[in-house]
Structures are given as C-alpha cells and as structure tokens.
Amino acid sequence: MRNGHRPLLAAATFAVVTTGVAYFFGPGAVPADSETKPAATRAARPATAEACQVSAKYPKRQLRGVWIATVRNIDWPSKTGLDPARQQAEYVRILDNAVRRNFNAVFVQVRPASDAIYRSPYEPWSQWLTGTAGEDPGWEPLPFLIAEAHKRGLEFHAWFNPYRAADKDDLTKLPAGHPARQHPEWVVKHEGKLYYNPGLPEVRAHTVKVITDVVQRYDVDGVHFDDYFYPYPGKETKFADEGAFTKYGKGKSLAGWRRDNVDKLVAQVGKAVHATKPYVKFGISPFGIWRNKSDDPSGSDTKGLSAYDAIYSDARAWIKAGSVDYIMPQLYWPRGFAAADYAKLVPWWANEVKGTGVHLYIGQALYRVGNKDVAAWTKAGELPAHLTLNRKYPEVQGDVYFSAAQVGKNPLGVLDKIVQDHYPRPALLPLMKERGGAAPAAPAGLRNSGGTLVWKASPGARSYAVYRVAGAKADDCATADARNLLAVVPATGAAEQSYTTTSQGTYLVSALDRLGNESPPVTATLP
C-alpha cells in the first residue's frame, strides 16, 4: 500500500547506507553495493531473536486472505451474463477492498464443479460466467484474475473442488464434452447431484491432469482444496460406490477405503503440483473438526460432525505425511460454543502441526458476523477476539475469511476493528522453506527524486518492502516486526521502482522473491 503523494516539507539531504540484518538474513549476509556513494556505512552487527523485542500486534509475516467463491455467484461475478468489462470491474473492486484492509492473498474458485473459470482443454466453461454451462464468455478470465492480484501484491491461490461433477444429476443436461457425460461410469448420482467417484483411479488421474494443466499454464502461487470430499450427510442417502469398493477395497473397511481414496488424491495432487513448479503451494481447508474426543481420545473436545467419519477427510494424515504445505481448518464457531468451541479447536490444530513444517492458517466465518442464530455473532468483538486468541499459538500463521462479498459489506464494522487491532500495518507472507526460493539482491541505486524513493529493480524480485524509522538512525532490529513496515510494493517489471514518501526519517527498502524471501535492506535517511 502506497502512502499519499505529499512532497517532503524540507529539501532532502540524502544519505544511503547499507545494513545487513543477521536476524533475518543470517550471519555474514552482505547486501549488494548501492550505486550511490554512501555518506556512511557500517558492518552488520549480529542480532538474535532474543535481542529484538518484537510486537505481537505487528507480526512481520502473516497470511491474510479471502476466499472468492464463483459457485452460485456468491462473490464473483455477482450474477451471470455480465459483459467482460463489468466482470473485471467487480473483481478489481474485491481486490482493492482486500488491499485496503492490508490483506495479502486471495483464494479464487476456478473449478466449482468439473467446470472452468478459464479456457480448459478438459472441462467446459462454468455456467456461473454466462448462465449456460459450456458457453464461451468471450474472454479468458484467469490471466486477468492472476495479473490483477499480483499487481496489488496479493498472492493468488487457484481453488478447485475435487469431486463435485454437477449440481444436477441429469447427465443429458451437461455439455457434450463434459467429462462426466463422456465417462458416466465415473460418476455417482447422489441426492440430486453428480459426484465423481473418489474410489476410481481414473477419477484421480483426471483431477490431477486438470490441476497440473492450470499450474503449467498459469502463474498461480498456490493450489487450494476446500472441504468437499465425500458428500456431507444430507438425507442420509447411501453413497452408491459399492462396485468400486468391491473392485478396489482389498480387505479394507468401507470407511477406511474411502479415507484412503482421498489420501491418495491429496498425495498425488501435491506431488504433481510440486513436480510442475516447486514454488507453488498446495493446501486444504478441511471442516474444522477432525474427530471428537468421544470417538477418539486424540480428537478435539468437541461434539460436532467428525470430518474423519462423515466425509472421510483425514486432515491429520495429510499433515503427518507432509502431503500438504498448509492446512486451513474452517473454524466457523465462536468462543464458548458448546458443540465446537473456537478456543478449544485452535490449540488442537496448533498441536497437530507443531514440528511438522506444515503451515496452519485459520478459516474465519466473516459471513456469520451479524447473524442472530448464535448470540456471539451479534457482537462486533467476537471475530477480532479470535485473532487475539491466535497470538497465544505461534503455529497459527494467518487467517482467511469467507468470503469476499462480506469483506465489501464489513458487517458490524468488524473489519475496521480487525485492521485497527491486528492489521494496522502490511505483512509479508510466511516463509515456506520447503518451496525453495532465494532472497533477491538488495535494491541498488537507491536515491531521492523530489520526495520519491527510486531504486533499480532487483532480478527475481516479486515485490519490495519499504520500512520507515523516525529519526536518522535505524538499528539492526528496525525490520524485526512490521511496526516500521509502510508498504509492500509490487514489482512493475520496469527497470526502476519507486515509492512516494510523506514524512522524514530513515527508510529501509528490501527485495522479496515470490515466496517472500527477503534481501538485506538498503537504507536512506531523509532529514
């Protein structure tokens, strides 16, 4: 987020120094030389985590995301049949709302149900674009969706539903080229809908092919699954997968076999994503209760639906196997809720990821704020209190909100309070070491130009972090948290980058790669 464009009140006496901060970059890290002759330089002093007093209110790294649902036009586009310009304008407004709240990631539903919000060689255009499944919307949305997110410094996760085939069970109503129509043996009709049978290897292969295609062709930062695996219990209708179970069950119980089917898909997708582009993240947002303690002593102290038993979703297995990079449980209940207490579920999930390297983000029920069915949701302080509680558990590295329409509505003014108490500054993305990457070279040629900081672009930089410290000196802990972080400036692709300053002080600028690996900062003092 850029500051305003008010020029500096005083003519700037400009001094450039380079500062290596060992706390972030490792002992002995040396920044690239600035092309501007420094007025003063100093060697990096070793700094440790203990030496830097960081503030819980200003976390340097934190995922702050929002789901953008396309199914049933929940978030985008607002209705079917809009022209491309209107669709684009609506999407940009969603992104601008997110940036205004200091968010840094979007999770966009690109495959609601074996359809596509992009030009797919394997599945038809989504009905949620034009109103008619298979109808070309007249433009290619996904490159635009990704580019606009990146332009604003937002990480883009492509959200897929793995098993929903159609929202009606009449195969003849699907486009002629629809995979379910071409392979009716792949699907199960269940309570008025069509589902791909998770027990079939062909279904897993098709899903992996669809996702791999998107990762290959588009500049996504992540692949995301939501909580829809086997159908949720509805009318208690039996899911008709007996034939596949007979063929592939191999002595397992039905429930164990179903969980194994999901586990296999998760592992195959993770492997395919990372083999295609190692830096692309893969994560899942499961239902918030793995198992209840009454069913399993290692489960949570809850009394709600068990994802393990009801929809055969074993998030604990994915964490233990390292099949996912992150897990994002949907903790859509308030504190003190008898069946599923948020205050009990957060520590349970934190304990599950501890020491595994799997990141934990929390799915937050922004859509429930203001609802009168549960008294806690009528209070503007409930959701912000979730984030306060999260601070007690270092394993919690961020939050994602459902959904984008509610970010625009800001029910009970809750986002204003969240920004004030939790997101007053931007944040860098949490580092995911397993996905690789490397810090770019430090910005070079930093100079002042009429109240604007200008520097040469660093090869491989996705963005630049700009910090400001009041006064003419910044110590080795100046970038330890986000209290001094003014902006994360997206790379433009131009030879030079810039940031307009609004006040005097010491500015520090570092370069970030797409995974958030940060270079040493270059420092400019503007008296």
Side-chain angles (χ1 to χ4, degrees), residues 180-215:
R181 192 164 176 180
Q182 293 180 325
H183 300 280
E185 71 280 6
W186 287 3
V187 299
V188 175
K189 294 183 178 182
H190 183 78
E191 297 186 352
K193 295 179 172 60
L194 285 177
Y195 294 85
Y196 287 120
N197 189 338
L200 299 179
E202 298 89 345
V203 165
R204 291 193 290 273
H206 174 72
T207 305
V208 171
K209 179 174 68 175
V210 166
I211 293 169
T212 302
D213 170 61
V214 170
V215 174

Side-chain angles (χ1 to χ4, degrees), residues 198-435:
L200 299 179
E202 298 89 345
V203 165
R204 291 193 290 273
H206 174 72
T207 305
V208 171
K209 179 174 68 175
V210 166
I211 293 169
T212 302
D213 170 61
V214 170
V215 174
Q216 283 177 337
R217 292 195 292 127
Y218 300 96
D219 189 23
V220 300
D221 301 299
V223 166
H224 180 72
F225 283 176
D226 57 15
D227 55 319
Y228 289 99
F229 294 98
Y230 280 82
Y232 275 93
K235 303 172 185 176
E236 302 298 332
T237 309
K238 186 177 180 182
F239 189 74
D241 58 353
E242 300 91 345
F245 178 54
T246 299
K247 185 174 182 179
Y248 297 109
K250 296 181 181 178
K252 294 184 176 72
S253 67
L254 178 62
W257 173 72
R258 286 176 173 173
R259 278 188 290 273
D260 186 58
N261 293 333
V262 176
D263 293 349
K264 284 179 179 176
L265 176 69
V266 170
Q268 288 173 336
V269 169
K271 185 177 180 180
V273 167
H274 297 151
T276 305
K277 289 179 181 175
Y279 56 80
V280 173
K281 304 168 184 177
F282 173 50
I284 298 178
S285 178
F287 183 74
I289 299 173
W290 172 73
R291 281 194 109 184
N292 298 299
K293 189 176 285 187
S294 58
D295 300 316
D296 187 320
S298 63
S300 53
D301 185 12
T302 48
K303 301 178 181 65
L305 179 142
S306 160
Y308 180 94
D309 299 289
I311 58 173
Y312 312 100
S313 171
D314 190 357
R316 172 183 272 181
W318 312 331
I319 294 169
K320 287 184 175 180
S323 302
V324 293
D325 294 309
Y326 66 83
I327 202 80
M328 193 192 298
Q330 297 171 23
L331 303 191
Y332 289 173
W333 307 282
R335 297 165 302 155
F337 189 66
D341 185 344
Y342 184 90
K344 292 180 177 179
L345 281 162
V346 168
W348 187 89
W349 284 100
N351 186 63
E352 289 303 306
V353 302
K354 186 178 292 185
T356 65
V358 174
H359 285 207
L360 173 62
Y361 314 126
I362 304 298
Q364 299 286 358
L366 181 61
Y367 76 101
R368 289 192 170 176
V369 174
N371 289 359
K372 297 179 180 179
D373 53 343
V374 177
W377 291 124
T378 65
K379 301 174 183 177
E382 178 61 29
L383 200 59
H386 290 194
L387 275 64
T388 301
L389 187 147
N390 291 355
R391 289 175 179 170
K392 298 179 180 179
Y393 304 96
E395 294 81 12
V396 179
Q397 299 191 58
D399 300 87
V400 179
Y401 300 85
F402 190 84
S403 64
Q406 300 305 314
V407 172
K409 292 175 183 175
N410 188 22
L412 302 183
V414 69
L415 288 171
D416 297 334
K417 186 164 181 58
I418 286 174
V419 171
Q420 176 183 325
D421 295 344
H422 298 277
Y423 300 167
R425 297 289 190 184
L428 309 187
L429 292 164
L431 279 177
M432 199 171 276
K433 295 179 181 177
E434 292 77 6
R435 299 280 55 85

Side-chain angles (χ1 to χ4, degrees), residues 485-525:
L485 182 61
L486 294 180
V488 178
V489 180
T492 62
E496 289 191 325
Q497 292 281 150
S498 64
Y499 177 79
T500 302
T501 62
T502 60
S503 55
Q504 299 170 3
T506 299
Y507 287 84
L508 300 93
V509 182
S510 61
L512 306 160
D513 74 350
R514 68 182 303 140
L515 287 160
N517 293 289
E518 187 177 21
S519 78
V522 174
T523 305
T525 302

Side-chain angles (χ1 to χ4, degrees), residues 22 26-30 44:
V30 179

